[in-house]
């Protein structure tokens, strides 16, 4: 697999990124099983040196090259500094990664990445790794997972939007933002707006007004307005809701990612014209996937209210 070899076949995959606890490893496990059931040859590459308990079958593990505990012990670094060192070490050892991936040609790749936000917002090591993979004819999409509980807190949701936008601009890959753990969202509290407001990132002035009702955020209204202006000026951030336990939700996310990295338009699987067109139509897909989750959420809210009334 020589660098820049145009004659070699394309390889498709996802780099799964996001903050700690957003469900990256769970997503890789669920997507590996889901794609395996539909006949796609999937391999998971663990690029997280702090990932010790992996539920999925891992074909390539960065622990064979370097581990976070060893770095922290030998170089006397903390977890954040240790992760940055590990990614810089991986960048300096491209030949190791190239050799491992060369033995897995013909697979669809899921790259399970570390959870340190700085690696995706301003540090260049992982960005350079992704760029090197592109030179090896990998067609990748970044799958950025965000815990859906941030939707219940307007202040946190604005920070998530800023982080997602910064990540999209820095990583420089086709990007799919995911609201993960949608099956748990009713446990986080009632949403201020309908779910599609958060997934499609609609008029954020309503969010600023909602924040102004909080005495703490009232003093920062001007700052929030400027942050919202930046997000809306770029008009890049939107989300796809995900429940890993729901097959239909997994299928919809897979379609969005396949569209982003170009897999939908290849010849790796037999596809009908209908399937191809469904991947090409983005707006309808997002509306349908969000509507399905919204219905479940509203039903759970109605059930909770009914139970409270019965208790009274």
């Amino acid at each position: 697999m020589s660098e820049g070899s145009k004659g070699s076949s394309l390889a498709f995959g996802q780099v799964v990124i996001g903050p700690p606890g957003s469900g990256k490893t769970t997503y890789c496990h669920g997507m590996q099983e889901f794609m395996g059931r539909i006949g796609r040859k999937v391999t998971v590459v663990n690029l997280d040196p702090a990932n010790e308990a992996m539920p999925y079958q891992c074909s390539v593990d960065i622990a064979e090259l370097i581990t976070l505990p060893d770095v922290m012990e030998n170089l006397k670094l903390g977890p954040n500094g240790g992760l940055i060192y590990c990614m810089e070490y991986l960048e300096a050892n491209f030949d190791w990664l190239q050799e491992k991936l060369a033995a897995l040609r013909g697979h669809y790749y899921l790259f399970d990445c570390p959870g340190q936000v700085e690696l995706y917002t301003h540090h260049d090591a992982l960005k350079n790794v992704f760029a090197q993979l592109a030179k090896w004819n990998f067609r990748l999409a970044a799958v950025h997972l965000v815990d859906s509980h941030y939707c219940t807190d307007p202040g946190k949701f604005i920070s998530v939007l800023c982080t997602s936008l910064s990540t999209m601009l820095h990583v420089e890959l086709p990007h799919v933002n995911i609201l993960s753990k949608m099956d748990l969202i009713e446990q986080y509290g009632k949403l201020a707006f309908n779910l599609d407001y958060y997934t499609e990132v609609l008029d954020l002035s309503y969010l600023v007004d909602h924040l102004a009702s909080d005495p703490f955020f009232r003093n920062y209204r001007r700052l929030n307005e400027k942050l919202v202006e930046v997000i809306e000026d770029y008009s890049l951030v939107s989300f796809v809701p995900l429940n890993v336990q729901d097959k239909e939700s997994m299928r919809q996310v897979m379609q969005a990612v396949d569209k982003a990295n170009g897999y939908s338009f290849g010849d790796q699987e037999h596809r009908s014209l209908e399937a191809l067109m469904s991947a090409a139509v983005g707006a309808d897909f997002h509306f349908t996937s969000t509507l399905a989750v919204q219905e479940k959420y509203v039903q759970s809210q109605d059930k909770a209210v009914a139970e409270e009334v019965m208790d009274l």
Side-chain angles (χ1 to χ4, degrees):
M1 187 164 53
S2 60
E3 182 175 327
S5 57
K6 295 183 179 179
S8 60
S9 60
L10 295 177
F12 293 89
Q14 310 174 18
V15 292
V16 184
I17 61 179
S22 57
K24 296 182 296 298
T25 297
T26 302
Y27 172 87
C28 288
H29 184 210
M31 190 58 73
Q32 182 187 44
E33 290 188 344
F34 181 79
M35 288 185 172
R37 291 194 184 101
I38 65 173
R40 192 178 299 187
K41 292 173 61 178
V42 183
T43 188
V44 181
V45 178
N46 176 44
L47 295 183
D48 185 358
N51 201 350
E52 298 178 349
M54 294 173 289
Y56 49 71
Q57 295 180 354
C58 181
S59 301
V60 180
D61 189 356
I62 194 176
E64 298 176 18
L65 178 69
I66 191 170
T67 64
L68 181 60
D70 289 343
V71 169
M72 292 174 62
E73 180 180 353
N74 295 327
L75 300 181
K76 308 304 178 186
L77 294 172
N80 290 340
L83 273 173
I84 290 176
Y85 180 88
C86 289
M87 293 302 101
E88 291 176 343
Y89 191 81
L90 174 63
E91 181 187 1
N93 289 273
F94 277 139
D95 53 340
W96 174 84
L97 184 61
Q98 184 177 18
E99 180 182 350
K100 291 292 184 180
L101 296 178
L104 298 168
R105 273 298 189 182
H107 288 74
Y108 185 98
Y109 299 82
L110 298 173
F111 293 89
D112 189 1
C113 299
Q116 188 176 358
V117 175
E118 295 91 326
L119 293 171
Y120 313 116
T121 56
H122 58 270
H123 196 267
D124 286 336
L126 260 182
K127 173 184 174 181
N128 294 337
V129 170
F130 300 154
Q132 185 63 47
L133 288 170
K135 293 179 181 179
W136 294 338
N137 282 333
F138 279 78
R139 298 296 179 263
L140 302 172
V143 177
H144 183 227
L145 270 68
V146 175
D147 196 317
S148 60
H149 87 268
Y150 290 117
C151 294
T152 61
D153 187 319
K156 290 181 179 178
F157 187 65
I158 289 179
S159 70
V160 161
L161 293 174
C162 292
T163 302
S164 299
L165 177 60
S166 178
T167 300
M168 295 176 75
L169 297 176
H170 183 73
V171 172
E172 297 180 348
L173 283 175
H175 212 90
V176 178
N177 291 305
I178 303 290
L179 279 178
S180 62
K181 306 180 183 179
M182 290 304 300
D183 53 319
L184 303 177
I185 192 170
E186 64 267 16
Q187 299 179 14
Y188 301 137
K190 185 175 178 58
L191 298 180
F193 306 99
N194 285 340
L195 185 61
D196 61 338
Y197 178 88
Y198 300 92
T199 58
E200 300 301 327
V201 189
L202 303 175
D203 187 351
L204 295 178
S205 62
Y206 293 104
L207 204 62
V208 175
D209 292 338
H210 189 73
L211 272 173
S213 62
D214 188 317
F216 176 80
F217 287 106
R218 191 174 300 143
N219 298 326
Y220 300 96
R221 183 184 180 96
R222 185 65 177 160
L223 173 62
N224 289 324
E225 287 176 346
K226 290 301 179 182
L227 290 174
V228 163
E229 284 181 15
V230 171
I231 296 166
E232 292 185 330
D233 285 346
Y234 277 97
S235 189
L236 290 174
V237 184
S238 62
F239 295 94
V240 181
L242 171 66
N243 174 7
V244 175
Q245 307 298 328
D246 184 9
K247 294 180 181 178
E248 180 61 21
S249 178
M250 291 291 285
R251 184 187 68 81
Q252 291 169 341
V253 168
M254 184 187 71
Q255 282 186 335
V257 178
D258 284 352
K259 174 191 171 186
N261 63 17
Y263 186 90
S264 294
F265 309 101
D267 57 358
Q268 285 72 22
E269 295 173 352
H270 174 73
R271 296 173 179 83
S272 65
L273 179 61
E274 180 181 355
L276 187 63
M277 291 303 293
S278 66
V281 179
D284 290 342
F285 153 70
H286 286 299
F287 175 77
T288 304
S289 61
T290 303
L291 184 62
V293 177
Q294 175 70 25
E295 288 177 350
K296 292 182 180 179
Y297 174 75
V298 171
Q299 289 173 0
S300 65
Q301 290 289 322
D302 291 344
K303 182 179 179 181
V305 171
E307 290 176 350
E308 290 180 3
V309 172
M310 289 297 292
D311 292 339
L312 294 176

